[in-house]
Amino acid sequence: MRKPLLEVKDLQIKFETKRGTIAVSDGVSFAIGENETLCLVGESGCGKSVVAVSIMGLLPAHARVAGEIRYREADLLQCSPGEWSRFRGREIAMIFEQPMSCLNPVISAGRQIAEAYAANNRCSKREALAEARRKLDEVGIPENCFVKFPHELSGGMQQRVMIAIALACRPNLLIADEPTAALDVTVQCQILELLHCLKDRYRMSMLLITHDLGVVAEMADTVGVMYAGTMMELSGVEDFFYRPGHPYSRALMNVVAGNALSPIRGSVPHLLEPVPGCPFHARCVDAVEQCRRARPQPRIVNGRMERCHHFTGDNSGRQLDQMVSSR
Ligand code: SF4
């Protein structure tokens, strides 16, 4: 069996704050194979972005991290900051929800791409600029935008520049944190199509964080569902939609599959005040007494992982067509 490109094992991330310790990732595990896309879903504040940032090695200094983040043969958590920086850009790149907050406002789009390329490749300035022009063309930005500053570009164009910067060094893994959330619907589709196309062209793997289950249906090979810093379900995309298993996954689907007016009651527990038992029990329609007392442990049946006392691995349902056609 081929080794995955990225393997995250039992990742624990804690932040020490004046008000106490916050566990933002509590034993999260997943793997991404070559040319595969794993989508991380879950409500805001469930720890998805922190997990993504931890893979980039960009957590603040006061974060306490344990577990393993293995990229090919390297255990990134054991790398020095200098060693880790060699993976950033060249091997693993990341794009964010708000491109404007990541782009340098006083440097033109073309020069920012050229600088990203030059930072990771031995090349002359002329070569870097030529590569930046090729990348702009590849992400569908007209030539005349090369000299434009970020504020002169639309949100969609800014995100394309971010994608061009991320791809400047041909990374093997692209992490995209809500890359389309700030864009309008038509531009969202164009950006997703672009990501799909570039992923196939470069045979990249992708870790995609999104709230949109329609995006998951179109992009994912594997789906990870996070809740309150915990991975509740990890399954293949068909299992996730056709045989929805975990009560939290079903609740998320219920919200988008025509029942947008019936949100999940309650809210995500505050990570400063962890709840006993299953973190989802206060909102779960299937909760029983055991859920309030005992934390469910991950169980794997037929390649699908769930944390739920009721999990048997035998679920049925039909959701995928609905998700795809709802876009
Ligand atoms: Fe619901 Fe209990 Fe399963 Fe948690 S363990 S998801 S509360 S049924």
Side-chain angles (χ1 to χ4, degrees):
M1 208 174 100
R2 286 178 68 188
K3 286 197 75 123
L5 181 70
L6 178 82
E7 226 176 332
V8 173
K9 285 188 193 166
D10 195 22
L11 182 66
Q12 320 260 351
I13 304 172
K14 291 184 176 144
F15 291 122
E16 298 297 344
T17 71
K18 283 182 185 157
R19 293 175 56 204
T21 302
I22 302 179
V24 274
S25 169
D26 189 2
V28 166
S29 300
F30 59 85
I32 305 177
E34 307 269 356
N35 201 27
E36 273 181 12
T37 298
L38 184 142
C39 284
L40 271 187
V41 300
E43 291 159 281
S44 298
C46 285
K48 308 180 298 295
S49 298
V50 177
V51 168
V53 169
S54 74
I55 296 167
M56 295 297 288
L58 296 175
L59 287 173
H62 66 280
R64 285 196 279 124
V65 189
E68 258 182 60
I69 301 177
R70 191 164 281 280
Y71 177 82
R72 296 214 156 117
E73 298 307 317
D75 183 350
L76 297 180
L77 289 182
Q78 302 305 318
C79 288
S80 66
E83 287 168 337
W84 205 329
S85 72
R86 283 199 280 277
F87 289 93
R88 276 197 292 274
R90 221 173 295 174
E91 300 283 343
I92 308 173
M94 185 164 179
I95 56 175
F96 299 88
E97 177 180 342
Q98 298 285 353
M100 193 57 198
S101 60
C102 303
L103 293 168
N104 189 326
V106 295
I107 300 181
S108 69
R111 255 191 64 201
Q112 295 198 47
I113 301 168
E115 284 182 3
Y117 182 75
N120 291 287
N121 292 278
R122 282 194 186 166
C123 63
S124 66
K125 190 175 169 189
R126 180 192 290 245
E127 285 166 335
L129 289 171
E131 182 61 24
R133 284 183 200 284
R134 276 195 290 276
K135 280 281 171 284
L136 270 188
D137 182 48
E138 208 170 11
V139 298
I141 297 184
E143 164 91 38
N144 65 350
C145 290
F146 190 90
V147 292
K148 290 197 173 168
F149 293 96
H151 72 272
E152 297 177 294
L153 301 171
S154 66
M157 286 294 179
Q158 289 168 0
Q159 194 57 289
R160 285 175 193 264
V161 173
M162 279 305 300
I163 294 170
I165 290 172
L167 298 188
C169 304
R170 298 269 201 101
N172 292 310
L173 174 66
L174 179 66
I175 301 175
D177 188 356
E178 300 277 9
T180 58
L183 306 174
D184 66 47
V185 178
T186 46
V187 181
Q188 279 182 9
C189 292
Q190 291 165 6
I191 295 291
L192 286 171
E193 208 172 298
L194 176 67
L195 286 174
H196 215 327
C197 167
L198 293 171
K199 173 187 170 276
D200 283 348
R201 186 177 306 160
Y202 292 120
R203 296 197 56 75
M204 277 186 308
S205 305
M206 203 185 300
L207 172 62
L208 176 60
I209 295 172
T210 179
H211 284 95
D212 187 337
L213 294 191
V215 172
V216 176
E218 287 188 9
M219 304 285 285
D221 296 298
T222 311
V223 186
V225 183
M226 283 190 69
Y227 187 79
T230 305
M231 188 71 88
M232 294 302 220
E233 172 169 3
L234 189 62
S235 57
V237 66
E238 296 210 348
D239 270 343
F240 178 75
F241 285 112
Y242 283 113
R243 292 168 284 280
H246 196 280
Y248 181 52
S249 310
R250 292 206 306 271
L252 287 176
M253 277 190 231
N254 198 32
V255 173
V256 289
N259 294 319
L261 294 180
S262 34
I264 311 170
R265 66 193 168 112
S267 54
V268 180
H270 197 292
L271 295 176
L272 261 176
E273 292 150 13
V275 292
C278 173
F280 188 55
H281 79 248
R283 307 172 76 191
C284 181
V285 292
D286 297 329
V288 293
E289 185 49 36
Q290 183 189 17
C291 306
R292 285 177 261 282
R293 284 186 284 103
R295 187 176 169 78
Q297 295 305 307
R299 289 169 62 203
I300 300 173
V301 178
N302 295 331
R304 170 185 202 145
M305 185 287 286
E306 279 189 28
R307 276 180 191 264
C308 177
H309 293 306
H310 296 322
F311 179 49
T312 60
D314 176 24
N315 302 298
S316 60
R318 294 264 153 194
Q319 301 274 348
L320 184 61
D321 296 337
Q322 247 174 318
M323 292 299 147
V324 174
S325 63
S326 74
R327 288 191 61 75

